[in-house]
Amino acid sequence: MAQQKHSHNREEEANFEIQSTRIERKTAKTITIVFLALIAIVPLVDLFVSSFSYQVPSDTTGGDSSQGVWSEVVAGNNRLIEARKSFESELEKASFLRDVFPSPFQWFLTRYLRTGNEKAIMGREGWWFYDKDIQYVTGKPFLQYREQAGKDPVAAITDFSRQLEERGIRLVVMPVPVKPMLYPEMLSGSCADSVSTVQNASYRTFLSELQAQGILVFDPTSILQRLKAAGIASYLKTDTHWTPEGMEAVADSLVHLLVSEGLMSYGAAGYLRRSTPVDHLGDIYTMLEYSGRTPLASSEQVDTHPVTDAMGNVWMPDPYASCLFLGDSFSNIYSLNGLGWGYGAGFAEQLSYLLQQPVDAIRRNDEGSIATRKMLSNEMERGVDRLANKSVVVWEFSMRELSFGNWTPIAMSLGEPHESDFLNLQPGDSIVVSAYIAARSASPDPQEVTYSDHVITLHLTDICSEDHSVEQAQAVVYLLGMKDRRLTDAAFLRQGETIRIVLKSWSDYEAQMGGLNRNELDDVMLQLEVPVWGELCP
């Protein structure tokens, strides 16, 4: 009888190689000493070079003794654990070596090894790609996870469409292709002759299921592909997003669809458009976290077209318009200054200009699958009917969201306006106050988030203004936690601190800051309060 051949698995092979490896005592001793030295040098260098001003929050001790000794011990232990985690996090962020070494190391990886990092993937001819975009195209069919909670885009879109239809509003879904779909040849030489796009295996089924439900889908992929075939770049080299030419071609096609379907008509609002050149390195480049003086990529120059009204004022969303546009960073890319590509020239602006009609817009960078729906739902629950007088809602999101987004259905129920003791400032108002931080959202991690600017949220109580016009009030406050990928002083605030801060009307800042990524408070009821904008006093 023939002997059956045994094939070793990787673990068996690794164990066999380890057992057969022989290292001289002198070599082993040297390696051990070097290893221990490398481990020890990090805290030693930081101890003598870095400045640690972090203090354990004052609320890590003490508690409510009325709850009993054991409850007080447990609560104190939980506060101590949170303080330890926070302290370790601040030590890491303040690390001298973390500031010094990443840039030279990234320069070496990019210059000589032609690679980026876990987020930014270096392609051919100066093209850069976002890792999640590549994963969407090459990964598993996204609909195979639809049985998991929040992973069925068809169910979420259908539910949203049904709620809008009950109010006589038509939904238009606009999934925007990711860059690897249009430029696969810049990732792989085997795609050099390709004239078609690549796509996730579930996408055709996704489209057919939505169309079977009577939902209107506007897919701009073919428009962008035709633009590319004509020799016009439809996507930016160093950014995840489309070029102004690509965006405007898509906006023009969408307008024709809306008019042909009888959902919108051309008006005579008098909007104007001018040409403004912008020179910038995109968001994928910033993901490298390279802060050296010598750029690792060439900046790009594009011509944007900011939109103004007849009086020259920068275009603003109109809550009374018949069209509501929900969009992510693809709509913000040329609209928000914080993204580096100018302002006032985004997708909603171009849509309004081409229609010569006002357009309402709710936009938020990233999480296009849920962020704008949640913002709309919160307004509705506060009793603000953002869907009043609307005939059409255009919902734009990146196709990568089909694989990685949160597709939890959200109710669009109109609540009753309620009396609130939270501070609500009027446009133009500005007051200097002292206040107690009752709660705060998490701070962004510059190494994890995609965009360079980020907003955090505070719940302030015991608010007292310096002019004594406000006493013992409370407020939900938005403020910058990160600017140009550097944490601000606000990011290091702690629950239990008393601070001095300037509070202003959120309506004065919503157009500029509302589209930035934002960390919200955990308390859902606080998310329903009208916020204010804050800036820490020096």
Side-chain angles (χ1 to χ4, degrees):
M1 182 175 181
Q3 185 177 5
Q4 186 175 2
K5 185 178 180 180
H6 176 69
S7 176
H8 293 282
N9 59 36
R10 284 190 172 185
E11 184 176 353
E12 290 173 333
E13 290 177 355
N15 287 332
F16 177 78
E17 290 173 359
I18 291 172
Q19 292 170 8
S20 62
T21 300
R22 296 291 180 265
I23 302 176
E24 293 183 3
R25 183 177 182 84
K26 183 179 180 180
T27 303
K29 190 175 181 179
T30 301
I31 293 174
T32 303
I33 293 173
V34 171
F35 176 71
L36 292 175
L38 288 174
I39 291 177
I41 198 171
V42 174
L44 288 175
V45 170
D46 276 332
L47 178 63
F48 289 103
V49 178
S50 299
S51 175
F52 297 119
S53 59
Y54 180 80
Q55 300 291 328
V56 176
S58 59
D59 63 346
T60 58
T61 59
D64 184 3
S65 59
S66 65
Q67 299 297 319
V69 176
W70 179 248
S71 297
E72 185 177 353
V73 170
V74 172
N77 184 63
N78 290 336
R79 289 194 295 271
L80 185 60
I81 291 173
E82 289 302 315
R84 176 185 60 79
K85 291 179 180 178
S86 178
F87 180 66
E88 291 174 348
S89 176
E90 301 310 332
L91 286 179
E92 183 180 356
K93 291 172 183 175
S95 170
F96 168 76
L97 292 176
R98 178 173 174 173
D99 288 339
V100 169
F101 279 99
S103 283
F105 185 61
Q106 189 63 70
W107 177 85
F108 175 80
L109 287 176
T110 305
R111 178 68 176 82
Y112 292 105
L113 302 184
R114 307 296 294 170
T115 187
N117 57 22
E118 68 277 7
K119 289 184 179 181
I121 308 300
M122 191 174 187
R124 307 168 67 198
E125 300 178 20
W127 284 76
W128 288 83
F129 295 86
Y130 181 35
D131 179 61
K132 280 194 174 181
D133 288 348
I134 299 173
Q135 289 182 46
Y136 165 73
V137 174
T138 62
K140 295 180 179 180
F142 58 82
L143 287 179
Q144 77 175 39
Y145 302 106
R146 67 193 312 173
E147 298 303 321
Q148 300 177 19
K151 289 296 182 180
D152 189 348
V154 175
I157 294 170
T158 302
D159 176 76
F160 189 33
S161 177
R162 175 189 56 78
Q163 294 185 73
L164 294 176
E165 285 179 358
E166 290 174 356
R167 299 195 55 174
I169 302 170
R170 185 78 182 274
L171 174 65
V172 178
V173 178
M174 181 180 160
V176 177
V178 291
K179 187 161 69 172
M181 292 173 53
L182 275 297
Y183 289 90
E185 72 276 12
M186 294 305 174
L187 276 168
S188 172
S190 62
C191 301
D193 297 327
S194 175
V195 293
S196 60
T197 57
V198 291
Q199 182 57 274
N200 185 282
S202 278
Y203 189 72
R204 286 185 179 274
T205 304
F206 165 76
L207 281 184
S208 62
E209 290 187 11
L210 289 184
Q211 291 165 354
Q213 296 290 331
I215 297 173
L216 186 58
V217 179
F218 173 67
D219 182 344
T221 303
S222 60
I223 301 163
L224 296 167
Q225 183 66 28
R226 286 197 298 269
L227 200 69
K228 174 192 171 186
I232 302 173
S234 55
Y235 278 75
L236 297 160
K237 282 189 172 184
T238 63
D239 201 286
T240 54
H241 303 97
W242 45 25
T243 59
E245 293 85 355
M247 177 189 68
E248 291 168 15
V250 171
D252 186 64
S253 294
L254 177 58
V255 165
H256 283 91
L257 175 67
L258 294 175
V259 173
S260 65
E261 291 285 334
L263 300 174
M264 293 289 292
S265 59
Y266 293 106
Y271 291 119
L272 304 173
R273 191 166 68 175
R274 68 180 188 278
S275 179
T276 302
V278 177
D279 190 80
H280 186 57
L281 274 168
D283 60 356
I284 304 179
Y285 180 79
T286 63
M287 293 177 197
L288 290 173
E289 297 176 22
Y290 174 73
S291 57
R293 294 183 178 180
T294 305
L296 295 173
S298 300
S299 61
E300 299 180 73
Q301 186 173 73
V302 297
D303 288 322
T304 65
H305 297 98
V307 176
T308 65
D309 63 18
M311 302 297 294
N313 300 308
V314 176
W315 182 93
M316 295 288 287
D318 185 346
Y320 302 101
S322 61
C323 175
L324 172 61
F325 178 82
L326 306 179
D328 62 8
S329 57
F330 274 89
S331 61
N332 271 335
I333 178 65
Y334 302 108
S335 186
L336 289 182
N337 248 336
L339 296 182
W341 295 98
Y343 67 96
F347 191 87
E349 288 91 328
Q350 305 306 323
L351 196 64
S352 188
Y353 169 78
L354 293 168
L355 282 167
Q356 285 298 307
Q357 288 266 25
V359 169
D360 194 8
I362 299 176
R363 296 168 287 186
R364 171 72 62 81
N365 293 342
D366 211 1
E367 296 186 332
S369 59
I370 194 169
T372 50
R373 284 189 298 140
K374 187 63 177 174
M375 293 167 71
L376 175 60
S377 175
N378 285 348
E379 285 202 43
M380 299 285 289
E381 195 164 342
R382 283 202 300 263
V384 180
D385 192 359
R386 196 71 176 261
L387 293 175
N389 304 316
K390 297 293 187 287
S391 61
V392 59
V393 170
V394 178
W395 181 12
E396 175 271 315
F397 52 83
S398 167
M399 285 186 187
R400 88 171 73 95
E401 291 292 305
L402 297 171
S403 289
F404 303 106
N406 183 345
W407 295 98
T408 302
I410 296 177
M412 299 292 163
S413 304
L414 183 61
E416 293 291 334
H418 64 281
E419 293 293 329
S420 174
D421 59 352
F422 277 68
L423 191 64
N424 186 6
L425 300 178
Q426 299 302 311
D429 287 351
S430 177
I431 56 173
V432 180
V433 305
S434 63
Y436 175 84
I437 302 177
R440 53 151 298 162
S441 67
S443 294
D445 185 339
Q447 292 188 339
E448 296 297 328
V449 297
T450 303
Y451 300 101
S452 58
D453 294 353
H454 204 102
V455 173
I456 62 173
T457 313
L458 303 180
H459 174 208
L460 299 183
T461 60
D462 299 332
I463 297 175
C464 296
S465 64
E466 293 188 346
D467 62 2
H468 303 292
S469 61
V470 176
E471 298 284 348
Q472 300 301 312
Q474 57 179 326
V476 171
V477 183
Y478 294 150
L479 65 171
L480 273 178
M482 186 173 72
K483 178 67 176 175
D484 296 329
R485 206 164 286 280
R486 290 186 176 274
L487 294 176
T488 66
D489 290 342
F492 298 95
L493 295 175
R494 290 289 169 260
Q495 182 178 346
E497 287 188 59
T498 297
I499 60 173
R500 188 166 173 265
I501 187 171
V502 180
L503 300 180
K504 303 179 181 181
S505 172
W506 173 237
S507 61
D508 292 337
Y509 288 83
E510 186 171 10
Q512 179 184 0
M513 300 295 184
L516 297 178
N517 283 20
R518 183 168 70 229
N519 288 352
E520 300 282 5
L521 296 166
D522 293 333
D523 190 332
V524 176
M525 298 308 296
L526 289 174
Q527 295 179 26
L528 301 180
E529 297 292 342
V530 177
V532 296
W533 179 253
E535 297 171 357
L536 290 178
C537 294

